[in-house]
Amino acid sequence: MSAEVKAAVARYLDAVAGGSPAAIAALYAPDATLEDPVGADLVRGRAAIEEFYGALAGAKVSTELLAVRAVAGHAAFSFRVTTDAGDQQYVVEPIDVMTFDADGQITSMRAFWAPGDMVVTPA
Amino acid sequence: MSAEVKAAVARYLDAVAGGSPAAIAALYAPDATLEDPVGADLVRGRAAIEEFYGALAGAKVSTELLAVRAVAGHAAFSFRVTTDAGDQQYVVEPIDVMTFDADGQITSMRAFWAPGDMVVTPA
């Protein structure tokens, strides 16, 4: 069961790196919620979630899983997201918490990070 | 605000290493909840929380913060707990999620880890 959850986390990070908001949103359950960063307004439903990830469309993004802890239906994981914006790279290492339904779809996502956690370096 | 949350996380890890269940429980709000590991029955209230940490009394425990992401009132952090049981060491690296009240007391704790995440080595 935790292996299924870990596989779902891997699919999510691959999709984020893939850069297709629709493909990312498809990993979410239709009525899923998203809170990114924690404390921000809740994004609810797959259409709104696809719009949330719209900022990624066309961006050069890579992701790397740093650590994952999973139990049935729940995961917490830290990962690195590197966004290449031409002359600058943006690197942030959030800790995300997700819940999953029986089909492995994401039912909720909460991302723990603050703007001050982002590192900007010349590419 | 996130600095206060990070300080509260550091106090918690110090208290766990200190090995006094009462001192750990004192970091929690009176009506706090604890879920460790995620999926286990909820432990509610400071007395029950002190009892939960009773297993630590007298144990040789060290803690090390690996990563912390904090926003006002919320933290997610990964850390290493090493328990020295004489001829064996138990090492586990959970990811914990905590909420805090305005006084910096822990109002909820959820620990993401599974028994399979524990590593046992000769001391």
mmCIF file of all heavy atoms in Angstrom, chain A residues 2 6 35 37-39 67-71 74-78 92-95 97-99 110 112-114 117, chain B residues 2 6 35 37-39 67-71 74-78 92-95 97-98 110 112-114 117:
data_model
loop_
_atom_site.group_PDB
_atom_site.id
_atom_site.type_symbol
_atom_site.label_atom_id
_atom_site.label_comp_id
_atom_site.label_asym_id
_atom_site.label_seq_id
_atom_site.Cartn_x
_atom_site.Cartn_y
_atom_site.Cartn_z
ATOM 1 N N SER A 2 1.913 1.247 0.832
ATOM 2 C CA SER A 2 2.782 2.426 0.784
ATOM 3 C C SER A 2 3.565 2.450 -0.528
ATOM 4 O O SER A 2 3.947 3.517 -1.003
ATOM 5 C CB SER A 2 3.705 2.478 1.999
ATOM 6 O OG SER A 2 4.799 1.620 1.848
ATOM 7 N N LYS A 6 3.905 5.609 -2.952
ATOM 8 C CA LYS A 6 5.190 6.117 -3.452
ATOM 9 C C LYS A 6 5.184 6.202 -4.982
ATOM 10 O O LYS A 6 5.748 7.140 -5.560
ATOM 11 C CB LYS A 6 6.335 5.229 -2.955
ATOM 12 C CG LYS A 6 6.608 5.402 -1.465
ATOM 13 C CD LYS A 6 7.763 4.528 -0.991
ATOM 14 C CE LYS A 6 7.975 4.722 0.512
ATOM 15 N NZ LYS A 6 9.061 3.875 1.050
ATOM 16 N N GLU A 35 -3.549 23.276 -1.606
ATOM 17 C CA GLU A 35 -3.195 24.439 -0.780
ATOM 18 C C GLU A 35 -1.691 24.640 -0.922
ATOM 19 O O GLU A 35 -0.906 23.884 -0.343
ATOM 20 C CB GLU A 35 -3.600 24.176 0.676
ATOM 21 C CG GLU A 35 -3.401 25.363 1.604
ATOM 22 C CD GLU A 35 -3.722 25.015 3.059
ATOM 23 O OE1 GLU A 35 -4.183 23.896 3.329
ATOM 24 O OE2 GLU A 35 -3.467 25.877 3.927
ATOM 25 N N PRO A 37 1.216 27.835 -1.330
ATOM 26 C CA PRO A 37 1.721 27.208 -0.114
ATOM 27 C C PRO A 37 0.645 27.107 0.973
ATOM 28 O O PRO A 37 -0.414 27.737 0.855
ATOM 29 C CB PRO A 37 2.828 28.175 0.328
ATOM 30 C CG PRO A 37 2.389 29.508 -0.180
ATOM 31 C CD PRO A 37 1.689 29.219 -1.492
ATOM 32 N N VAL A 38 0.931 26.319 2.012
ATOM 33 C CA VAL A 38 0.015 26.223 3.149
ATOM 34 C C VAL A 38 -0.284 27.629 3.656
ATOM 35 O O VAL A 38 0.618 28.451 3.804
ATOM 36 C CB VAL A 38 0.638 25.354 4.263
ATOM 37 C CG1 VAL A 38 -0.117 25.489 5.564
ATOM 38 C CG2 VAL A 38 0.660 23.891 3.812
ATOM 39 N N GLY A 39 -1.553 27.904 3.864
ATOM 40 C CA GLY A 39 -1.987 29.236 4.278
ATOM 41 C C GLY A 39 -2.630 30.012 3.138
ATOM 42 O O GLY A 39 -3.356 30.975 3.374
ATOM 43 N N ALA A 67 13.025 12.808 -0.244
ATOM 44 C CA ALA A 67 12.629 11.836 0.780
ATOM 45 C C ALA A 67 11.122 11.677 0.721
ATOM 46 O O ALA A 67 10.407 12.650 0.474
ATOM 47 C CB ALA A 67 13.042 12.305 2.174
ATOM 48 N N VAL A 68 10.667 10.470 0.928
ATOM 49 C CA VAL A 68 9.220 10.241 0.961
ATOM 50 C C VAL A 68 8.889 9.305 2.121
ATOM 51 O O VAL A 68 9.596 8.342 2.375
ATOM 52 C CB VAL A 68 8.706 9.663 -0.383
ATOM 53 C CG1 VAL A 68 9.410 8.374 -0.767
ATOM 54 C CG2 VAL A 68 7.188 9.457 -0.361
ATOM 55 N N ARG A 69 7.826 9.647 2.830
ATOM 56 C CA ARG A 69 7.319 8.778 3.903
ATOM 57 C C ARG A 69 5.859 8.527 3.592
ATOM 58 O O ARG A 69 5.084 9.470 3.412
ATOM 59 C CB ARG A 69 7.463 9.454 5.282
ATOM 60 C CG ARG A 69 8.907 9.621 5.708
ATOM 61 C CD ARG A 69 9.565 8.282 5.995
ATOM 62 N NE ARG A 69 10.998 8.375 6.241
ATOM 63 C CZ ARG A 69 11.933 8.144 5.320
ATOM 64 N NH1 ARG A 69 11.600 7.829 4.081
ATOM 65 N NH2 ARG A 69 13.201 8.223 5.639
ATOM 66 N N ALA A 70 5.489 7.265 3.478
ATOM 67 C CA ALA A 70 4.164 6.924 2.996
ATOM 68 C C ALA A 70 3.508 5.883 3.873
ATOM 69 O O ALA A 70 4.160 4.947 4.342
ATOM 70 C CB ALA A 70 4.261 6.391 1.563
ATOM 71 N N VAL A 71 2.238 6.067 4.126
ATOM 72 C CA VAL A 71 1.385 5.021 4.691
ATOM 73 C C VAL A 71 0.166 4.967 3.773
ATOM 74 O O VAL A 71 0.005 5.814 2.895
ATOM 75 C CB VAL A 71 0.980 5.315 6.154
ATOM 76 C CG1 VAL A 71 2.217 5.401 7.049
ATOM 77 C CG2 VAL A 71 0.178 6.589 6.260
ATOM 78 N N HIS A 74 -1.702 8.115 2.366
ATOM 79 C CA HIS A 74 -1.072 9.363 2.820
ATOM 80 C C HIS A 74 0.404 9.369 2.460
ATOM 81 O O HIS A 74 1.069 8.347 2.592
ATOM 82 C CB HIS A 74 -1.152 9.503 4.343
ATOM 83 C CG HIS A 74 -2.528 9.529 4.898
ATOM 84 N ND1 HIS A 74 -3.208 10.694 5.145
ATOM 85 C CD2 HIS A 74 -3.368 8.527 5.243
ATOM 86 C CE1 HIS A 74 -4.411 10.408 5.632
ATOM 87 N NE2 HIS A 74 -4.527 9.094 5.701
ATOM 88 N N ALA A 75 0.900 10.521 2.067
ATOM 89 C CA ALA A 75 2.338 10.668 1.863
ATOM 90 C C ALA A 75 2.793 12.051 2.294
ATOM 91 O O ALA A 75 2.054 13.026 2.181
ATOM 92 C CB ALA A 75 2.704 10.461 0.391
ATOM 93 N N ALA A 76 4.011 12.109 2.801
ATOM 94 C CA ALA A 76 4.724 13.370 2.987
ATOM 95 C C ALA A 76 6.054 13.195 2.277
ATOM 96 O O ALA A 76 6.683 12.143 2.391
ATOM 97 C CB ALA A 76 4.938 13.672 4.464
ATOM 98 N N PHE A 77 6.446 14.196 1.522
ATOM 99 C CA PHE A 77 7.703 14.043 0.781
ATOM 100 C C PHE A 77 8.350 15.397 0.553
ATOM 101 O O PHE A 77 7.691 16.422 0.399
ATOM 102 C CB PHE A 77 7.486 13.311 -0.550
ATOM 103 C CG PHE A 77 6.471 13.934 -1.473
ATOM 104 C CD1 PHE A 77 6.883 14.699 -2.565
ATOM 105 C CD2 PHE A 77 5.113 13.745 -1.272
ATOM 106 C CE1 PHE A 77 5.954 15.257 -3.439
ATOM 107 C CE2 PHE A 77 4.176 14.309 -2.138
ATOM 108 C CZ PHE A 77 4.597 15.066 -3.221
ATOM 109 N N SER A 78 9.676 15.373 0.562
ATOM 110 C CA SER A 78 10.435 16.566 0.225
ATOM 111 C C SER A 78 11.036 16.357 -1.156
ATOM 112 O O SER A 78 11.386 15.231 -1.530
ATOM 113 C CB SER A 78 11.519 16.841 1.262
ATOM 114 O OG SER A 78 12.452 15.797 1.296
ATOM 115 N N VAL A 92 13.594 25.410 -5.412
ATOM 116 C CA VAL A 92 12.885 25.376 -4.132
ATOM 117 C C VAL A 92 12.682 23.919 -3.735
ATOM 118 O O VAL A 92 12.535 23.044 -4.600
ATOM 119 C CB VAL A 92 11.559 26.167 -4.198
ATOM 120 C CG1 VAL A 92 10.570 25.542 -5.167
ATOM 121 C CG2 VAL A 92 10.942 26.327 -2.819
ATOM 122 N N GLU A 93 12.751 23.665 -2.442
ATOM 123 C CA GLU A 93 12.600 22.296 -1.934
ATOM 124 C C GLU A 93 11.432 22.250 -0.947
ATOM 125 O O GLU A 93 11.633 22.340 0.261
ATOM 126 C CB GLU A 93 13.907 21.836 -1.266
ATOM 127 C CG GLU A 93 15.059 21.765 -2.252
ATOM 128 C CD GLU A 93 16.381 21.313 -1.638
ATOM 129 O OE1 GLU A 93 16.410 21.079 -0.412
ATOM 130 O OE2 GLU A 93 17.358 21.190 -2.381
ATOM 131 N N PRO A 94 10.236 22.122 -1.467
ATOM 132 C CA PRO A 94 9.067 22.079 -0.581
ATOM 133 C C PRO A 94 8.972 20.727 0.143
ATOM 134 O O PRO A 94 9.630 19.759 -0.237
ATOM 135 C CB PRO A 94 7.877 22.231 -1.539
ATOM 136 C CG PRO A 94 8.466 22.589 -2.877
ATOM 137 C CD PRO A 94 9.841 22.032 -2.877
ATOM 138 N N ILE A 95 8.140 20.691 1.156
ATOM 139 C CA ILE A 95 7.663 19.418 1.713
ATOM 140 C C ILE A 95 6.165 19.387 1.437
ATOM 141 O O ILE A 95 5.431 20.280 1.864
ATOM 142 C CB ILE A 95 7.950 19.285 3.220
ATOM 143 C CG1 ILE A 95 9.467 19.245 3.470
ATOM 144 C CG2 ILE A 95 7.283 18.025 3.779
ATOM 145 C CD1 ILE A 95 9.859 19.171 4.957
ATOM 146 N N VAL A 97 2.416 17.359 1.458
ATOM 147 C CA VAL A 97 1.601 16.319 2.086
ATOM 148 C C VAL A 97 0.425 16.044 1.166
ATOM 149 O O VAL A 97 -0.260 16.973 0.727
ATOM 150 C CB VAL A 97 1.109 16.760 3.481
ATOM 151 C CG1 VAL A 97 0.102 15.767 4.043
ATOM 152 C CG2 VAL A 97 2.288 16.914 4.431
ATOM 153 N N MET A 98 0.227 14.768 0.834
ATOM 154 C CA MET A 98 -0.863 14.390 -0.067
ATOM 155 C C MET A 98 -1.698 13.275 0.544
ATOM 156 O O MET A 98 -1.194 12.445 1.300
ATOM 157 C CB MET A 98 -0.310 13.883 -1.407
ATOM 158 C CG MET A 98 0.243 14.955 -2.308
ATOM 159 S SD MET A 98 0.796 14.238 -3.889
ATOM 160 C CE MET A 98 1.101 15.750 -4.819
ATOM 161 N N THR A 99 -2.982 13.276 0.172
ATOM 162 C CA THR A 99 -3.830 12.113 0.436
ATOM 163 C C THR A 99 -4.294 11.565 -0.911
ATOM 164 O O THR A 99 -4.361 12.303 -1.906
ATOM 165 C CB THR A 99 -5.043 12.475 1.307
ATOM 166 O OG1 THR A 99 -5.782 13.524 0.675
ATOM 167 C CG2 THR A 99 -4.611 12.937 2.692
ATOM 168 N N ARG A 110 -1.059 19.626 0.069
ATOM 169 C CA ARG A 110 -0.671 20.825 0.814
ATOM 170 C C ARG A 110 0.847 20.964 0.689
ATOM 171 O O ARG A 110 1.578 20.004 0.961
ATOM 172 C CB ARG A 110 -1.053 20.724 2.296
ATOM 173 C CG ARG A 110 -2.523 20.388 2.537
ATOM 174 C CD ARG A 110 -2.838 20.340 4.023
ATOM 175 N NE ARG A 110 -2.871 21.673 4.602
ATOM 176 C CZ ARG A 110 -2.468 21.964 5.847
ATOM 177 N NH1 ARG A 110 -1.976 21.021 6.624
ATOM 178 N NH2 ARG A 110 -2.535 23.207 6.293
ATOM 179 N N PHE A 112 4.249 22.786 1.858
ATOM 180 C CA PHE A 112 4.904 23.587 2.893
ATOM 181 C C PHE A 112 6.174 24.207 2.310
ATOM 182 O O PHE A 112 7.145 23.504 2.020
ATOM 183 C CB PHE A 112 5.267 22.708 4.099
ATOM 184 C CG PHE A 112 4.086 22.223 4.884
ATOM 185 C CD1 PHE A 112 3.312 21.171 4.424
ATOM 186 C CD2 PHE A 112 3.748 22.811 6.091
ATOM 187 C CE1 PHE A 112 2.215 20.718 5.149
ATOM 188 C CE2 PHE A 112 2.658 22.363 6.823
ATOM 189 C CZ PHE A 112 1.886 21.318 6.352
ATOM 190 N N TRP A 113 6.148 25.493 2.115
ATOM 191 C CA TRP A 113 7.337 26.238 1.719
ATOM 192 C C TRP A 113 6.993 27.712 1.841
ATOM 193 O O TRP A 113 5.815 28.099 1.893
ATOM 194 C CB TRP A 113 7.794 25.900 0.292
ATOM 195 C CG TRP A 113 6.836 26.323 -0.790
ATOM 196 C CD1 TRP A 113 5.668 25.695 -1.129
ATOM 197 C CD2 TRP A 113 6.942 27.466 -1.642
ATOM 198 N NE1 TRP A 113 5.056 26.368 -2.148
ATOM 199 C CE2 TRP A 113 5.811 27.449 -2.497
ATOM 200 C CE3 TRP A 113 7.900 28.473 -1.789
ATOM 201 C CZ2 TRP A 113 5.600 28.437 -3.462
ATOM 202 C CZ3 TRP A 113 7.689 29.445 -2.753
ATOM 203 C CH2 TRP A 113 6.549 29.426 -3.578
ATOM 204 N N ALA A 114 8.001 28.538 1.892
ATOM 205 C CA ALA A 114 7.810 29.983 1.965
ATOM 206 C C ALA A 114 8.673 30.617 0.890
ATOM 207 O O ALA A 114 9.685 30.037 0.472
ATOM 208 C CB ALA A 114 8.209 30.496 3.347
ATOM 209 N N ASP A 117 12.313 30.408 1.021
ATOM 210 C CA ASP A 117 13.000 29.135 0.797
ATOM 211 C C ASP A 117 13.522 29.017 -0.628
ATOM 212 O O ASP A 117 14.250 28.071 -0.945
ATOM 213 C CB ASP A 117 12.046 27.954 1.065
ATOM 214 C CG ASP A 117 11.572 27.902 2.505
ATOM 215 O OD1 ASP A 117 12.380 28.213 3.400
ATOM 216 O OD2 ASP A 117 10.403 27.541 2.734
ATOM 217 N N SER B 2 7.684 32.609 10.606
ATOM 218 C CA SER B 2 8.206 31.275 10.353
ATOM 219 C C SER B 2 9.426 31.018 11.232
ATOM 220 O O SER B 2 9.728 29.877 11.561
ATOM 221 C CB SER B 2 8.519 31.063 8.870
ATOM 222 O OG SER B 2 9.725 31.682 8.521
ATOM 223 N N LYS B 6 10.047 27.747 13.454
ATOM 224 C CA LYS B 6 11.281 26.949 13.409
ATOM 225 C C LYS B 6 11.885 26.797 14.800
ATOM 226 O O LYS B 6 12.418 25.738 15.143
ATOM 227 C CB LYS B 6 12.280 27.583 12.433
ATOM 228 C CG LYS B 6 11.863 27.419 10.971
ATOM 229 C CD LYS B 6 12.867 28.046 10.009
ATOM 230 C CE LYS B 6 12.388 27.879 8.570
ATOM 231 N NZ LYS B 6 13.298 28.500 7.580
ATOM 232 N N GLU B 35 -0.948 12.202 16.155
ATOM 233 C CA GLU B 35 -1.226 11.030 15.308
ATOM 234 C C GLU B 35 0.127 10.513 14.823
ATOM 235 O O GLU B 35 0.741 11.099 13.936
ATOM 236 C CB GLU B 35 -2.119 11.446 14.128
ATOM 237 C CG GLU B 35 -2.582 10.286 13.255
ATOM 238 C CD GLU B 35 -3.391 10.778 12.050
ATOM 239 O OE1 GLU B 35 -3.667 11.986 11.959
ATOM 240 O OE2 GLU B 35 -3.718 9.940 11.187
ATOM 241 N N PRO B 37 2.179 6.751 14.135
ATOM 242 C CA PRO B 37 2.257 7.311 12.790
ATOM 243 C C PRO B 37 0.875 7.691 12.255
ATOM 244 O O PRO B 37 -0.140 7.309 12.837
ATOM 245 C CB PRO B 37 2.850 6.157 11.981
ATOM 246 C CG PRO B 37 2.402 4.922 12.683
ATOM 247 C CD PRO B 37 2.364 5.285 14.149
ATOM 248 N N VAL B 38 0.873 8.455 11.143
ATOM 249 C CA VAL B 38 -0.388 8.799 10.485
ATOM 250 C C VAL B 38 -1.164 7.514 10.215
ATOM 251 O O VAL B 38 -0.612 6.524 9.747
ATOM 252 C CB VAL B 38 -0.109 9.564 9.174
ATOM 253 C CG1 VAL B 38 -1.349 9.649 8.302
ATOM 254 C CG2 VAL B 38 0.426 10.950 9.492
ATOM 255 N N GLY B 39 -2.436 7.522 10.552
ATOM 256 C CA GLY B 39 -3.277 6.335 10.425
ATOM 257 C C GLY B 39 -3.539 5.670 11.760
ATOM 258 O O GLY B 39 -4.487 4.891 11.895
ATOM 259 N N ALA B 67 15.433 18.906 7.571
ATOM 260 C CA ALA B 67 14.868 19.978 6.755
ATOM 261 C C ALA B 67 13.590 20.452 7.425
ATOM 262 O O ALA B 67 12.851 19.656 7.996
ATOM 263 C CB ALA B 67 14.561 19.486 5.342
ATOM 264 N N VAL B 68 13.355 21.756 7.363
ATOM 265 C CA VAL B 68 12.113 22.297 7.925
ATOM 266 C C VAL B 68 11.548 23.332 6.972
ATOM 267 O O VAL B 68 12.288 24.133 6.402
ATOM 268 C CB VAL B 68 12.342 22.897 9.337
ATOM 269 C CG1 VAL B 68 13.413 23.979 9.313
ATOM 270 C CG2 VAL B 68 11.033 23.429 9.932
ATOM 271 N N ARG B 69 10.242 23.256 6.752
ATOM 272 C CA ARG B 69 9.532 24.255 5.958
ATOM 273 C C ARG B 69 8.435 24.801 6.839
ATOM 274 O O ARG B 69 7.608 24.035 7.367
ATOM 275 C CB ARG B 69 8.946 23.629 4.694
ATOM 276 C CG ARG B 69 10.014 23.155 3.699
ATOM 277 C CD ARG B 69 10.770 24.344 3.110
ATOM 278 N NE ARG B 69 11.922 23.959 2.302
ATOM 279 C CZ ARG B 69 13.179 23.910 2.739
ATOM 280 N NH1 ARG B 69 13.457 24.207 3.986
ATOM 281 N NH2 ARG B 69 14.153 23.576 1.935
ATOM 282 N N ALA B 70 8.421 26.104 7.018
ATOM 283 C CA ALA B 70 7.526 26.708 7.999
ATOM 284 C C ALA B 70 6.809 27.906 7.422
ATOM 285 O O ALA B 70 7.398 28.706 6.687
ATOM 286 C CB ALA B 70 8.321 27.135 9.231
ATOM 287 N N VAL B 71 5.530 28.006 7.725
ATOM 288 C CA VAL B 71 4.778 29.234 7.513
ATOM 289 C C VAL B 71 4.085 29.512 8.846
ATOM 290 O O VAL B 71 4.122 28.685 9.754
ATOM 291 C CB VAL B 71 3.748 29.106 6.369
ATOM 292 C CG1 VAL B 71 4.453 28.784 5.050
ATOM 293 C CG2 VAL B 71 2.723 28.038 6.664
ATOM 294 N N HIS B 74 2.323 26.783 11.045
ATOM 295 C CA HIS B 74 2.434 25.454 10.433
ATOM 296 C C HIS B 74 3.895 25.118 10.153
ATOM 297 O O HIS B 74 4.653 25.983 9.712
ATOM 298 C CB HIS B 74 1.703 25.411 9.082
ATOM 299 C CG HIS B 74 0.249 25.694 9.150
ATOM 300 N ND1 HIS B 74 -0.696 24.721 9.277
ATOM 301 C CD2 HIS B 74 -0.425 26.868 9.119
ATOM 302 C CE1 HIS B 74 -1.895 25.262 9.317
ATOM 303 N NE2 HIS B 74 -1.762 26.570 9.223
ATOM 304 N N ALA B 75 4.233 23.848 10.350
ATOM 305 C CA ALA B 75 5.563 23.390 9.954
ATOM 306 C C ALA B 75 5.491 21.968 9.442
ATOM 307 O O ALA B 75 4.679 21.155 9.904
ATOM 308 C CB ALA B 75 6.535 23.450 11.128
ATOM 309 N N ALA B 76 6.336 21.671 8.471
ATOM 310 C CA ALA B 76 6.621 20.292 8.077
ATOM 311 C C ALA B 76 8.130 20.147 8.168
ATOM 312 O O ALA B 76 8.868 21.043 7.753
ATOM 313 C CB ALA B 76 6.129 20.021 6.653
ATOM 314 N N PHE B 77 8.576 19.037 8.734
ATOM 315 C CA PHE B 77 10.023 18.886 8.893
ATOM 316 C C PHE B 77 10.399 17.418 8.902
ATOM 317 O O PHE B 77 9.653 16.559 9.357
ATOM 318 C CB PHE B 77 10.535 19.584 10.160
ATOM 319 C CG PHE B 77 9.890 19.146 11.449
ATOM 320 C CD1 PHE B 77 10.529 18.269 12.311
ATOM 321 C CD2 PHE B 77 8.642 19.628 11.816
ATOM 322 C CE1 PHE B 77 9.953 17.875 13.521
ATOM 323 C CE2 PHE B 77 8.044 19.239 13.011
ATOM 324 C CZ PHE B 77 8.699 18.368 13.860
ATOM 325 N N SER B 78 11.574 17.155 8.341
ATOM 326 C CA SER B 78 12.127 15.806 8.395
ATOM 327 C C SER B 78 13.270 15.817 9.401
ATOM 328 O O SER B 78 13.971 16.833 9.555
ATOM 329 C CB SER B 78 12.603 15.343 7.022
ATOM 330 O OG SER B 78 13.640 16.166 6.548
ATOM 331 N N VAL B 92 15.330 6.214 12.639
ATOM 332 C CA VAL B 92 14.184 6.467 11.767
ATOM 333 C C VAL B 92 14.163 7.955 11.417
ATOM 334 O O VAL B 92 14.587 8.794 12.226
ATOM 335 C CB VAL B 92 12.863 5.989 12.408
ATOM 336 C CG1 VAL B 92 12.538 6.786 13.661
ATOM 337 C CG2 VAL B 92 11.722 6.024 11.410
ATOM 338 N N GLU B 93 13.733 8.255 10.215
ATOM 339 C CA GLU B 93 13.692 9.646 9.744
ATOM 340 C C GLU B 93 12.270 9.989 9.325
ATOM 341 O O GLU B 93 11.921 9.915 8.145
ATOM 342 C CB GLU B 93 14.671 9.835 8.571
ATOM 343 C CG GLU B 93 16.126 9.606 8.981
ATOM 344 C CD GLU B 93 17.115 9.805 7.841
ATOM 345 O OE1 GLU B 93 16.677 10.099 6.709
ATOM 346 O OE2 GLU B 93 18.315 9.655 8.093
ATOM 347 N N PRO B 94 11.442 10.357 10.278
ATOM 348 C CA PRO B 94 10.046 10.707 9.953
ATOM 349 C C PRO B 94 9.970 12.079 9.287
ATOM 350 O O PRO B 94 10.920 12.861 9.315
ATOM 351 C CB PRO B 94 9.362 10.760 11.328
ATOM 352 C CG PRO B 94 10.344 10.199 12.305
ATOM 353 C CD PRO B 94 11.698 10.447 11.712
ATOM 354 N N ILE B 95 8.821 12.333 8.679
ATOM 355 C CA ILE B 95 8.442 13.696 8.319
ATOM 356 C C ILE B 95 7.235 14.042 9.186
ATOM 357 O O ILE B 95 6.213 13.348 9.138
ATOM 358 C CB ILE B 95 8.102 13.839 6.824
ATOM 359 C CG1 ILE B 95 9.341 13.550 5.971
ATOM 360 C CG2 ILE B 95 7.561 15.239 6.523
ATOM 361 C CD1 ILE B 95 9.096 13.601 4.461
ATOM 362 N N VAL B 97 4.343 16.828 10.610
ATOM 363 C CA VAL B 97 3.586 18.047 10.323
ATOM 364 C C VAL B 97 2.994 18.531 11.642
ATOM 365 O O VAL B 97 2.376 17.749 12.369
ATOM 366 C CB VAL B 97 2.479 17.787 9.288
ATOM 367 C CG1 VAL B 97 1.572 19.004 9.144
ATOM 368 C CG2 VAL B 97 3.096 17.417 7.941
ATOM 369 N N MET B 98 3.223 19.802 11.955
ATOM 370 C CA MET B 98 2.719 20.365 13.210
ATOM 371 C C MET B 98 1.972 21.656 12.944
ATOM 372 O O MET B 98 2.293 22.394 12.007
ATOM 373 C CB MET B 98 3.876 20.678 14.173
ATOM 374 C CG MET B 98 4.506 19.467 14.825
ATOM 375 S SD MET B 98 5.808 19.972 15.991
ATOM 376 C CE MET B 98 6.141 18.385 16.763
ATOM 377 N N ARG B 110 1.354 15.301 13.411
ATOM 378 C CA ARG B 110 1.135 14.081 12.627
ATOM 379 C C ARG B 110 2.501 13.625 12.130
ATOM 380 O O ARG B 110 3.246 14.407 11.548
ATOM 381 C CB ARG B 110 0.207 14.343 11.437
ATOM 382 C CG ARG B 110 -1.123 14.973 11.824
ATOM 383 C CD ARG B 110 -2.008 15.165 10.592
ATOM 384 N NE ARG B 110 -2.551 13.908 10.132
ATOM 385 C CZ ARG B 110 -2.766 13.596 8.854
ATOM 386 N NH1 ARG B 110 -2.440 14.454 7.901
ATOM 387 N NH2 ARG B 110 -3.270 12.426 8.528
ATOM 388 N N PHE B 112 4.640 11.169 9.750
ATOM 389 C CA PHE B 112 4.617 10.294 8.571
ATOM 390 C C PHE B 112 5.847 9.394 8.598
ATOM 391 O O PHE B 112 6.977 9.859 8.433
ATOM 392 C CB PHE B 112 4.630 11.138 7.285
ATOM 393 C CG PHE B 112 3.364 11.902 7.034
ATOM 394 C CD1 PHE B 112 3.087 13.058 7.739
ATOM 395 C CD2 PHE B 112 2.431 11.461 6.107
ATOM 396 C CE1 PHE B 112 1.923 13.767 7.515
ATOM 397 C CE2 PHE B 112 1.260 12.172 5.876
ATOM 398 C CZ PHE B 112 0.999 13.319 6.583
ATOM 399 N N TRP B 113 5.632 8.123 8.847
ATOM 400 C CA TRP B 113 6.685 7.115 8.770
ATOM 401 C C TRP B 113 6.006 5.754 8.884
ATOM 402 O O TRP B 113 4.862 5.653 9.324
ATOM 403 C CB TRP B 113 7.743 7.289 9.876
ATOM 404 C CG TRP B 113 7.251 7.026 11.261
ATOM 405 C CD1 TRP B 113 6.498 7.855 12.035
ATOM 406 C CD2 TRP B 113 7.451 5.847 12.049
ATOM 407 N NE1 TRP B 113 6.217 7.284 13.244
ATOM 408 C CE2 TRP B 113 6.797 6.047 13.280
ATOM 409 C CE3 TRP B 113 8.146 4.638 11.843
ATOM 410 C CZ2 TRP B 113 6.798 5.092 14.301
ATOM 411 C CZ3 TRP B 113 8.142 3.692 12.856
ATOM 412 C CH2 TRP B 113 7.474 3.923 14.069
ATOM 413 N N ALA B 114 6.703 4.743 8.447
ATOM 414 C CA ALA B 114 6.189 3.387 8.538
ATOM 415 C C ALA B 114 7.258 2.526 9.193
ATOM 416 O O ALA B 114 8.448 2.854 9.140
ATOM 417 C CB ALA B 114 5.856 2.860 7.144
ATOM 418 N N ASP B 117 10.473 1.939 7.556
ATOM 419 C CA ASP B 117 11.444 3.026 7.420
ATOM 420 C C ASP B 117 12.518 2.969 8.499
ATOM 421 O O ASP B 117 13.505 3.705 8.444
ATOM 422 C CB ASP B 117 10.736 4.388 7.508
ATOM 423 C CG ASP B 117 9.743 4.597 6.376
ATOM 424 O OD1 ASP B 117 10.027 4.156 5.249
ATOM 425 O OD2 ASP B 117 8.684 5.212 6.628
#
